[in-house]
Amino acid sequence: MSIDGQLPPKARLLRAAAELLANSGGSAVSTRQITQLAGVTAPTLYHHFGDKEGLFDAVVAAGFDEYVAGERDFAPSGQPLEDIRRMWDNHVQFGLKQPELYLVMFGNIRPESRPAIVADAEALMEEMLNKAAVSGQLNVPPKEAARSILAANVGVTLMLIAEKVPERNLELSAMTRDAMIFAVSTEQARDNGSVDSGKSSVVVAAIALNAALQASHSDQLSSSELKLFLEWLHRISNSSTS
Amino acid sequence: MSIDGQLPPKARLLRAAAELLANSGGSAVSTRQITQLAGVTAPTLYHHFGDKEGLFDAVVAAGFDEYVAGERDFAPSGQPLEDIRRMWDNHVQFGLKQPELYLVMFGNIRPESRPAIVADAEALMEEMLNKAAVSGQLNVPPKEAARSILAANVGVTLMLIAEKVPERNLELSAMTRDAMIFAVSTEQARDNGSVDSGKSSVVVAAIALNAALQASHSDQLSSSELKLFLEWLHRISNSSTS
DNA sequence: CTAGCACCTATAGCAACGCTATATGAACTG
DNA sequence: CAGTTCATATAGCGTTGCTATAGGTGCTAG
């Protein structure tokens, strides 16, 4: 069993590494396995990729393209925060579908050395969050929101990967996802555009306070209090529609 | 430099492994380094711990005791959710103080094989969340809340560890923490938050809403909610004086 | 006191690992 | 056709985790 196909050795190495990584079942993958499956010898690997990690980086880059493609396939961007939710789910699905690859990408943490891939994923999410921000749907800077959401997203995915398949409960993901998105979003983001007229003075005042709070970043309340406060405001603001 | 102290070889191995792990700076720690520092030879290690991972598990067990001790030192506060918050912060601090040990404990993810240590940490958090649940402060089962919070906690800690020290921003942790706690808690859970200053337009709107609310009989909020809501409104309204 | 026994540790070494110094072939360029 | 560059192979270095085997140590029994 070898990868022949008359591809150039570089591509064969990439394919062999990806295949072994995907089927390794958690155990380590050696350069000898890879080169044997690719039908080349060791120096070829090091000529093209520098070292083992370079090869894995290249595999990860291809995997990341797939990841990004998945992330971008969504995003017809009616609702940026809805797109963020789909990005989250796509992230989790990617991790569960290719756990080995995912672990190389996001699970290979070393102190003081941040994998470039994480920064890329962060930038991707920040880009999307920027759209939400310009629509006034974010109450924290997009960069920090992206870092926070991605951290939780990775944490949840790692935990799901570590669990045995039959015990995996995607509710964990959904719950954490909604919590994070809710935390960074303003209240109007949870609104699907129900526009109403003939509001009472309470509603008007609530909307005014709402806007003022969002414009001025009141720090009179803690951020978590503010979330709850705004949720109530939202309830009051929508009271005329119910 | 070797660990002598006339301790039995088993303890010397544990100490040597812990020390090398703590100072390895991210690079791998070999059994030869450990045995040399402990002043023993290889078979001694394998006699006592089975294999390298067994040794690390033992080190982790000791580290986990320290972790648990830190988690239990807090918790007299009467407010379970406040204790959860401290558990979160303690978790992050532990990870940042001993990143190598933390990575062995929480960063060594393999598919289908869940480290027992994660389950223990989860149980610890679930136990605390149970107290919140009996007080009616949880709106999700404690088990799922614990898993969700812990997943986010680990994700945040790993991300902070991966960052260079000067760039570490603990706001990421605080924000994610509050988001998760808020997500699992009922509204009555929070009352003691940090009090800050406010902005004038907010104050105006708050006063308006306050007056409007008292003039009308809104049934959008329960009486207890309304009470807290008005209290916060009052706080915002008075912020100009501070 | 000695014999036996269980426990613990050391000597020496295996197979596998990541990686490389060196050399050879192929392909393009002048 | 000579020269240069790129790509691959031969062979092997140093290190890794781990172990088959044997020897030393301290105990209890006769």
Side-chain angles (χ1 to χ4, degrees):
Chain A
M1 187 179 86
S2 70
I3 293 184
D4 275 10
Q6 306 305 18
L7 287 95
K10 187 171 180 177
R12 274 184 290 167
L13 279 168
L14 274 174
R15 191 168 297 191
E19 178 175 329
L20 287 175
L21 221 42
N23 304 339
S24 65
S27 57
V29 177
S30 72
T31 60
R32 283 175 171 80
Q33 291 174 14
I34 297 172
T35 54
Q36 181 188 343
L37 180 58
V40 298
T41 51
T44 305
L45 190 162
Y46 294 93
H47 173 71
H48 287 291
F49 300 100
D51 60 357
K52 183 185 185 180
E53 194 167 352
L55 208 193
F56 283 0
D57 283 350
V59 174
V60 159
F64 188 71
D65 287 344
E66 179 185 348
Y67 170 77
V68 169
E71 296 287 43
R72 290 202 192 279
D73 271 355
F74 310 110
S77 100
Q79 298 267 27
L81 288 185
E82 180 61 25
D83 293 339
I84 291 290
R85 190 168 309 183
R86 291 182 182 170
M87 283 184 72
W88 175 293
D89 289 343
N90 183 60
H91 182 114
V92 172
Q93 281 309 113
F94 181 81
L96 293 185
K97 198 178 296 177
Q98 307 206 11
E100 322 295 337
L101 188 54
Y102 184 87
L103 287 179
V104 173
M105 290 172 67
F106 293 97
N108 221 7
I109 288 92
R110 278 178 300 274
E112 314 280 317
S113 100
R114 192 161 148 71
I117 218 74
V118 176
D120 289 347
E122 202 176 308
L124 199 65
M125 184 161 284
E126 184 181 341
E127 177 187 335
M128 182 65 64
L129 281 168
N130 248 322
K131 296 180 184 175
V134 300
S135 310
Q137 295 180 307
L138 273 198
N139 62 9
V140 291
K143 186 173 181 175
E144 303 194 2
R147 276 163 40 86
S148 187
I149 293 176
L150 186 63
N153 204 353
V154 170
V156 162
T157 306
L158 288 178
M159 181 158 289
L160 284 175
I161 287 178
E163 279 177 10
K164 295 185 177 104
V165 175
E167 296 176 2
R168 281 180 189 161
N169 181 6
L170 289 183
E171 193 63 26
L172 165 70
S173 170
M175 173 180 159
T176 314
R177 176 198 65 196
D178 291 344
M180 292 309 301
I181 293 179
F182 179 79
V184 301
S185 62
T186 55
E187 71 290 354
Q188 78 192 32
R190 313 195 131 258
D191 195 0
N192 275 3
S194 64
V195 185
D196 34 9
S197 57
K199 296 157 186 167
S200 71
S201 61
V202 174
V203 174
V204 172
I207 292 175
L209 175 60
N210 188 358
L213 275 175
Q214 138 184 353
S216 70
H217 259 63
S218 164
D219 39 359
Q220 184 65 20
L221 300 176
S222 77
S223 66
S224 37
E225 281 175 338
L226 188 58
K227 300 301 153 303
L228 187 53
F229 188 87
L230 290 177
E231 189 196 2
W232 289 352
L233 262 185
H234 175 65
R235 232 145 95 195
I236 297 173
S237 302
N238 283 0
S239 63
S240 64
T241 68
S242 56
Chain B
M1 187 178 87
S2 70
I3 294 184
D4 274 10
Q6 306 305 20
L7 288 96
K10 188 172 180 176
R12 274 184 291 166
L13 278 169
L14 274 174
R15 191 167 298 191
E19 178 175 329
L20 287 175
L21 222 41
N23 305 338
S24 65
S27 56
V29 178
S30 71
T31 59
R32 281 175 170 81
Q33 291 173 11
I34 296 172
T35 54
Q36 180 188 343
L37 179 58
V40 299
T41 52
T44 306
L45 190 162
Y46 294 94
H47 172 70
H48 286 291
F49 300 100
D51 60 357
K52 184 185 184 180
E53 194 167 352
L55 209 193
F56 283 179
D57 283 350
V59 173
V60 158
F64 188 71
D65 287 343
E66 178 185 350
Y67 170 77
V68 169
E71 297 285 46
R72 291 203 191 278
D73 272 355
F74 310 110
S77 86
Q79 296 268 27
L81 289 184
E82 180 62 24
D83 293 340
I84 292 290
R85 190 171 309 183
R86 291 182 182 169
M87 282 185 73
W88 176 293
D89 289 343
N90 182 59
H91 182 115
V92 172
Q93 281 308 113
F94 181 81
L96 293 185
K97 199 179 296 178
Q98 306 207 11
E100 322 294 339
L101 188 55
Y102 184 87
L103 286 180
V104 173
M105 290 171 67
F106 293 98
N108 220 7
I109 288 93
R110 276 178 301 273
E112 314 281 317
S113 99
R114 191 161 148 72
I117 218 72
V118 177
D120 290 347
E122 202 175 309
L124 199 65
M125 184 161 284
E126 184 181 342
E127 177 187 334
M128 182 63 65
L129 282 168
N130 249 322
K131 297 181 183 173
V134 301
S135 310
Q137 296 180 305
L138 273 198
N139 60 12
V140 292
K143 185 172 184 177
E144 304 195 0
R147 277 162 41 84
S148 188
I149 294 177
L150 186 63
N153 205 353
V154 170
V156 163
T157 306
L158 288 178
M159 181 157 290
L160 284 175
I161 288 178
E163 278 177 12
K164 297 189 174 95
V165 175
E167 297 175 3
R168 282 179 188 162
N169 181 7
L170 288 182
E171 192 62 28
L172 165 70
S173 170
M175 173 180 160
T176 314
R177 176 198 65 197
D178 290 345
M180 293 309 301
I181 294 179
F182 175 78
V184 302
S185 62
T186 56
E187 56 273 15
Q188 76 197 39
R190 33 195 78 263
D191 42 3
N192 60 344
S194 54
V195 183
D196 321 328
S197 64
K199 305 271 167 73
S200 61
S201 64
V202 178
V203 174
V204 172
I207 293 174
L209 178 60
N210 197 348
L213 268 177
Q214 290 180 356
S216 72
H217 11 278
S218 167
D219 51 353
Q220 296 305 309
L221 299 177
S222 74
S223 62
S224 58
E225 281 174 342
L226 185 60
K227 185 180 174 186
L228 187 53
F229 188 86
L230 290 177
E231 182 192 338
W232 288 351
L233 261 185
H234 185 66
R235 210 193 289 171
I236 295 174
S237 302
N238 288 353
S239 66
S240 59
T241 66
S242 59

